[in-house]
Amino acid sequence: MIKTSRALPGAVLLILGGLVQAVQGIAALATGGYFVAPPDYDFGISISAWGFVHLAVGVLAIAVGVGVLRASPVARLLGLALAAASLLSNFLWLPIEPLWSIVLIALAALALWSLATAGPALLPPKDTNPAH
């Protein structure tokens, strides 16, 4: 069981990043032309599709952040995965909205670090004694 006090920064960062990412996703879905991909952008899915990606990652990050606050080891593992997904999606979103992407990349990196160092190892250690 992880201590909630050690996981608190990671949970707060995950929830905060999830809120910002969800708002970014809603903005991408709602605005007509504010977000525009550069013409030579290699990941050329539509802005609406990116909006759904950001909205889904954001909402899931909020839910998992609440689970981390409740000291769930499974939520901590999912939080690591969602922080990595947030980092990747915002890296790919960087040419479209650089300022918010950099902010969310920083939040995701800090959440990853905080959740990874919040308690005991997530996987049991390997048995190095072959006699067992």
Side-chain angles (χ1 to χ4, degrees), residues 21-36 46-55 93 96-97:
Q21 190 151 359
V23 168
Q24 186 172 330
I26 291 169
L29 290 170
T31 58
Y34 175 74
F35 295 116
V36 178
S46 71
I47 297 297
S48 294
W50 276 118
F52 283 117
V53 168
H54 286 297
L55 184 60
W93 182 254
I96 298 168
E97 185 61 33

Side-chain angles (χ1 to χ4, degrees), residues 3-79:
K3 288 186 173 183
T4 305
S5 62
R6 291 187 66 190
L8 181 63
V12 170
L13 288 167
L14 198 59
I15 292 169
L16 181 64
L19 283 170
V20 174
Q21 190 151 359
V23 168
Q24 186 172 330
I26 291 169
L29 290 170
T31 58
Y34 175 74
F35 295 116
V36 178
D40 57 345
Y41 186 56
D42 289 334
F43 299 97
I45 63 174
S46 71
I47 297 297
S48 294
W50 276 118
F52 283 117
V53 168
H54 286 297
L55 184 60
V57 170
V59 169
L60 289 172
I62 293 167
V64 169
V66 170
V68 172
L69 285 176
R70 299 184 76 181
S72 168
V74 173
R76 182 174 154 221
L77 186 60
L78 289 173

Side-chain angles (χ1 to χ4, degrees), residues 47-131:
I47 297 297
S48 294
W50 276 118
F52 283 117
V53 168
H54 286 297
L55 184 60
V57 170
V59 169
L60 289 172
I62 293 167
V64 169
V66 170
V68 172
L69 285 176
R70 299 184 76 181
S72 168
V74 173
R76 182 174 154 221
L77 186 60
L78 289 173
L80 289 167
L82 279 168
S86 176
L87 202 145
L88 179 62
S89 66
N90 282 293
F91 180 75
L92 295 174
W93 182 254
L94 198 57
I96 298 168
E97 185 61 33
L99 178 63
W100 283 111
S101 292
I102 291 170
V103 168
L104 286 168
I105 288 169
L107 284 174
L110 288 171
L112 271 171
W113 174 79
S114 180
L115 291 172
T117 60
L122 290 168
L123 299 174
K126 291 175 104 179
D127 186 15
T128 57
N129 188 357

